[in-house]
Amino acid sequence: MFRIYLCLILFGVPAIIKAQVDTVHYGDTLKKVEITRPLFYKEEASTMPVQHLSKKDLDILNSISVSDAVKFFSGVQVMDYGGIGGMKTIDVRSLSSNHTAVFYNGIAINNAQNGQVDLGKFSLDNIESITLFNGQQTKLLIPGKAFSSASTLLLESQIPVFEEGKSYHFKIGTRIGDFGLFNPSFLWQQKLSKNTSLSFNTEWVKANGRYDFYYAKGNVDTLINRQNSDVDALRLEASLNGTLKDSSNWELHLYNYTSKRGLPGAAVDNKYYSNDRQWDKDFFIQGRWEKRYNDLYSLLVNAKYNRQDLRYQDPDFHNTQGFLENNYNQKEVYLSAANLFVWSNTLKSSLSADYFYNSLDADLKDFVYPERHTLLVNAAIEWQKNNFNIQANGLATILKEKVRVGTSTGDKQVLSPSISASWKPFEDQNLYIRSFFKSIFRAPTFNDSYYTLVGSTSLKPEYVKQYDLGFTWQKAFDSRLQQITFKADAYHNRIKDRITAIPLANLFRWTMVNLGRVEINGIDFGASGNAELAANINLDFGVNYTYQKAIDKTEGGANFNQHIPYAPKNSGSGFIAAVYKAFGLNYNLLYTGERYSLRPNILTNKMDDWLIQNLSVSYHNKFAKLNYKVLAEVNNIADINYTVIRNYPMPGRNYRISFQISY
């Protein structure tokens, strides 16, 4: 019965609607369609808080990976386990990484095993833009998965755009620096026909990852060299984009990532690193097809196959073999159909349905080999009149899970509503006031439920309710200050049945449990702008700040009214970038305030605040038909000794030099 409903929703509804609109409304002429992806938002008028980094912004920040760039969003903590090869996940408004969905070219990146996406695997070399939505995207023609999380991070790769008479582009670059960093990359874009283009991008990252840090014990600081943090990673991507004769546009994208890296582990007394190793093989192929049949109806179809292999080795594990080695294999099949109906200039709606199949294999003793079928069905509506816009949606989630051995977590059916609005109160002012409410949940991951000796099949889903009220104000000037934007949001989040790990009889035995309630109150603030200081001198600047209190509200619990781990009260970022003719000077900073690494909130669990500053100088010019750019960076200028995750030291002052040629 599940499969029958799935086929009807994914294929039956679009086919019926297509037949109706083709018969009654289909036009006689074809429309010219540019090969592009649709814009996801108009930032200032969005009913949801949104932050955006364009290609120009990413160049200013001089980041290597997506994880480096998203640190400059307000309300964001990147959980960084140190070094170039350390895992890096995003935590938005202290809801945990599992509540942020990451999309690559409009299709979700999933990890059913632990629910987290390592942003360090995604380079900025081929990224056109990064967008973060609190709540969800505000575009209606999107997959059901885009409505299923507390926040959404969108990664958009570059689409080839060719000038008249041009048929190809290429870009070659390399980056070298401290810790033995060698990072070459190559991009090729080819126009295959009038309506079809090909893009190929590859990048190699190799580093020994060794850097010095100070380990504090009492009043004594010991200088230690970080070991076993090397990485050797190769990324290959290829995409085809095109427009068909019926004006529909399509995209096919292939991604392959392989890496081997050391896992240095926590630096603790008398053991400053481990000898653990990890090998990754990530592969996916995904496709998108979108057609606007007429002014009334549009259809978007997505599909994806994903395979992830992970090999873990602990050469110092005490067993009869003298080492531990585990192998994990994840598979995912994904299908989606989204339908958009434009009833009038003021009213439109959408219906989308997604199907996921996820499985996990492992060579662990007594492993249960879980499989999960997920069906997401979302109905949304938008009404816009004059300067007022309101959106609402309801998401139905159906989960069916089975295991080969033992007991599964059981089936789940959940309905998740959301409503948001935006209002422009004054015609002559570019001021927008917005607000939203959203109820959403996350199911336990495979690790939460089935990991040997730790997982628990009795876990309930983790529920989140979000409330937000904010504004965006923009103004352009006929002066040296050309444009400025202010935005602020006050928010309140409630988490019920938070999934967390707690120790059992001793600290070597842990289990997963649902632990009461968490309440998070906070304010996000941002300001940005640009100015022309003099002839040929342009300035871009921006600052973000977050104040929040994330408190355990479990009645009768041992940690009632205490701060949850890794949720600083104060955090922020800022940048300023100046351009004079062919020269660029960029300065940015990141700040994270005091926070606790564990509960309870005692002095030994308190972590110091830190402020990191980075500086870069660039020069770009043209030689014959080639454009070239040279960039020199110094990161962590003050050589601050700090950690994001306790006992995982971060690098001190370090240097990088980049050189890039494009045609």
Side-chain angles (χ1 to χ4, degrees), residues 293-592:
Y293 285 94
N294 50 45
D295 293 339
L296 168 65
Y297 176 66
S298 298
L299 173 65
L300 172 66
V301 177
N302 291 320
K304 181 177 182 178
Y305 171 77
N306 180 26
R307 178 188 174 106
Q308 300 179 48
D309 295 302
L310 186 152
R311 176 186 167 204
Y312 167 78
Q313 187 180 85
D314 180 357
D316 301 324
F317 193 79
H318 298 295
N319 59 7
T320 56
Q321 292 177 299
F323 69 93
L324 175 69
E325 181 168 314
N326 296 138
N327 293 274
Y328 304 87
N329 170 253
Q330 291 187 66
K331 292 187 180 72
E332 177 183 84
V333 176
Y334 169 64
L335 295 171
S336 171
N339 309 271
L340 175 67
F341 310 92
V342 181
W343 306 108
S344 66
N345 291 332
T346 59
L347 183 65
K348 54 186 174 182
S349 62
S350 70
L351 176 66
S352 56
D354 294 19
Y355 166 73
F356 291 89
Y357 166 77
N358 296 95
S359 67
L360 177 63
D361 293 343
D363 57 1
L364 301 177
K365 183 182 178 181
D366 300 324
F367 193 66
V368 300
Y369 302 97
E371 297 181 13
R372 178 180 290 172
H373 299 268
T374 305
L375 178 63
L376 305 174
V377 181
N378 186 82
I381 189 168
E382 178 181 1
W383 182 77
Q384 188 171 5
K385 183 73 171 179
N386 298 327
N387 295 325
F388 186 75
N389 183 11
I390 186 169
Q391 293 184 353
N393 76 279
L395 174 69
T397 303
I398 303 173
L399 296 176
K400 295 183 71 67
E401 204 160 291
K402 65 177 183 179
V403 295
R404 293 187 205 170
V405 180
T407 304
S408 75
T409 59
D411 301 339
K412 300 175 180 64
Q413 298 86 35
V414 180
L415 180 63
S416 305
S418 173
I419 186 169
S420 61
S422 173
W423 176 44
K424 184 181 180 184
F426 309 109
E427 282 289 345
D428 59 343
Q429 292 289 326
N430 204 21
L431 171 67
Y432 289 86
I433 299 172
R434 60 178 168 270
S435 183
F436 81 85
F437 162 78
K438 182 170 184 175
S439 177
I440 200 64
F441 84 105
R442 80 163 181 95
T445 66
F446 285 157
N447 277 359
D448 291 338
S449 299
Y450 306 114
Y451 195 80
T452 306
L453 301 178
V454 176
S456 171
T457 58
S458 62
L459 286 175
K460 294 178 285 187
E462 183 176 291
Y463 293 90
V464 172
K465 290 187 177 180
Q466 299 171 273
Y467 305 82
D468 185 282
L469 176 64
F471 75 89
T472 296
W473 177 77
Q474 291 183 327
K475 187 171 179 61
F477 301 91
D478 294 324
S479 63
R480 294 192 183 279
L481 179 62
Q482 297 177 329
Q483 182 266 335
I484 194 166
T485 300
F486 290 99
K487 60 176 68 174
D489 285 89
Y491 58 88
H492 173 72
N493 300 328
R494 295 180 186 173
I495 307 175
K496 178 186 175 184
D497 294 329
R498 188 180 181 105
I499 299 173
T500 189
I502 63 169
L504 294 175
N506 57 63
L507 292 177
F508 299 98
R509 289 287 306 276
W510 293 65
T511 189
M512 304 302 297
V513 298
N514 292 108
L515 196 61
R517 290 175 48 201
V518 173
E519 292 189 5
I520 305 166
N521 296 301
I523 297 174
D524 289 341
F525 171 80
S528 61
N530 52 70
E532 186 176 10
L533 301 183
N536 298 319
I537 301 179
N538 295 301
L539 193 71
D540 290 280
F541 58 89
V543 61
N544 288 305
Y545 170 74
T546 296
Y547 173 82
Q548 69 168 9
K549 293 181 69 176
I551 305 298
D552 187 333
K553 288 292 184 179
T554 305
E555 293 286 349
N559 302 302
F560 180 72
N561 266 350
Q562 297 196 27
H563 294 271
I564 66 172
Y566 296 107
K569 280 188 178 181
N570 299 282
S571 61
S573 64
F575 75 91
I576 184 167
V579 175
Y580 172 68
K581 295 183 179 179
F583 294 91
L585 177 65
N586 303 318
Y587 168 82
N588 62 68
L589 60 86
L590 292 165
Y591 174 75
T592 293

Side-chain angles (χ1 to χ4, degrees), residues 181-195:
L181 174 65
F182 178 57
N183 179 205
S185 62
F186 174 71
L187 171 68
W188 181 276
Q189 297 175 332
Q190 180 71 49
K191 187 176 183 180
L192 301 179
S193 69
K194 181 180 179 181
N195 295 320

